[in-house]
Amino acid sequence: MTNNLNSLEALTEKKVSRRDVLKTAGIGGVGAILGASGIGGVLALKERKAASPELNQDVVPFYGKHQSGITTKAQNHVYFVSLDITTTKKDDLADLFKEWTKAAALMTEGKAIGELSSNEFLPPKDTGEAAGLSPSNLTITFGVGPSLFVKDNQDRFGLKNKQPKELVDLPAFPLDALEAEWTGGDLCIQACADDLQVAFHAVRNLIRIARGKATLKWAQTGFQRTKQADSKNETPRNLFGFKDGTVNPNVDSDKQLNQHVWVQSGDGPEWLVNGSYLVVRRIQMFIEVWDRTNLREQENTFGRYRDSGAPLGQKGEFDQLDFKHKKENGEDYIPTNSHVRLSHGDGSQQILRRAYSYADGMDLKTGSFDAGLLFLCFQRKPSKQFIPIQTRLAKMDKLNEYTSHRGSAIFACLPGAKQGGFIGETLFN
Ligand code: HEM
């Protein structure tokens, strides 16, 4: 019995699914274990877990004022999908979001979305590949694109008057090389987790639930160095070998998040308050060309040192950018066409970058790697943040010699949901 209790406690603390707990307990007799500690004991343990974050180390709460996966510290992997809606009924959409909410809440706790049925002539509700895996800090973030509101001039779901002014297709930027198969979408799901199988399982089950209502349009995985490989938790490096993510709004400061990330009351529309706009760009990086470029040129391209990540002319990664700092010969340390100088601008436009690298095998046309950056950024007003920044970059960023924007989309990430409510409630009700 003691063994059973110990294993129950240990398993619960390892955040395993209810089915696993019962399975293990079953070795010594489910009846016995429930009889002794009682279901109440199991529930009490669960409540204790919910109340004490240290016991919940790899669960990110799904319900809340904002959706998770935006200010959440970036997990090791992303599985991002864009979807086309196939139903013509608004009620179907609301039902879909209700079902998605329930399933997402379960999966972020590491639970299956349904128990194995005793009817072996039915397919199992949950696809099963995450059984026994920890929740892995899974977050699932839902967004809606401009075409949810109006497509081919049609007010598809009677939602036209709810379309935010900021939620319109991005303008075409110079040098854009967008491909239809990586562009746009009516809905998006961003699943991030420290385990790719957990992230994939989440998306797969959500897509399965959407059958008859929405289908996949495009999908992209992304990775960062894992937490396991980087115990010092330094800024991750992109595929050009540079630290990427040094300058970002402080996610612990409500003031900064309200200023730069969350849609505020009065911004319009009210249904999106506490949500955020997501801009996604699939940016191919010509790593073979980069690898033939000398170090000085590489550092001048970003305006930072490769090794330390410090701004050119300075020592520490987190030193303030100093554009007035000149070398002895009178040249600027940080070139005027460098990526950080142009993206920083006057410092007033800030976006929350949450990018992941991707490596998708080979580009069959060129025989080179198809690799790059799945650039994901969140903001309060794209017209005042991403668009002016990208307008400057597209014109003269030195980085453009080594990159090409292949995919693009914009979504409004919905506000968070309360327990008992659902994601999208403010839009569909
Ligand atoms: C493959 C494409 C890109 C790569 C490899 C890249 C890489 C980098 C690197 C290494 C830094 C410096 C370190 C840091 O602060 O994180 C940086 C900064 C930054 N990047 Fe990018 N970036 C890319 C695309 C973009 C795009 C498309 C945008 C927005 C339109 C953007 C916006 C920024 C911003 C706002 C900063 C911080 C500037 C500041 O210091 O205030 N980047 N990026």
Side-chain angles (χ1 to χ4, degrees), residues 8-26:
L8 179 60
E9 178 102 9
L11 280 167
T12 313
E13 296 211 348
K14 275 202 312 192
K15 273 73 78 185
V16 294
S17 67
R18 188 157 64 90
R19 199 173 338 133
D20 285 336
V21 173
L22 292 177
K23 216 164 56 192
T24 309

Side-chain angles (χ1 to χ4, degrees), residues 45 65 101 124 128 158 165 235 242-243 246 283 289 311 324 342:
L45 197 57
K65 182 171 168 189
T101 302
K165 276 202 218 74
T235 309
F242 279 66
K243 294 190 175 196
T246 305
I283 309 176
V289 181
K324 297 207 179 99
L342 288 166

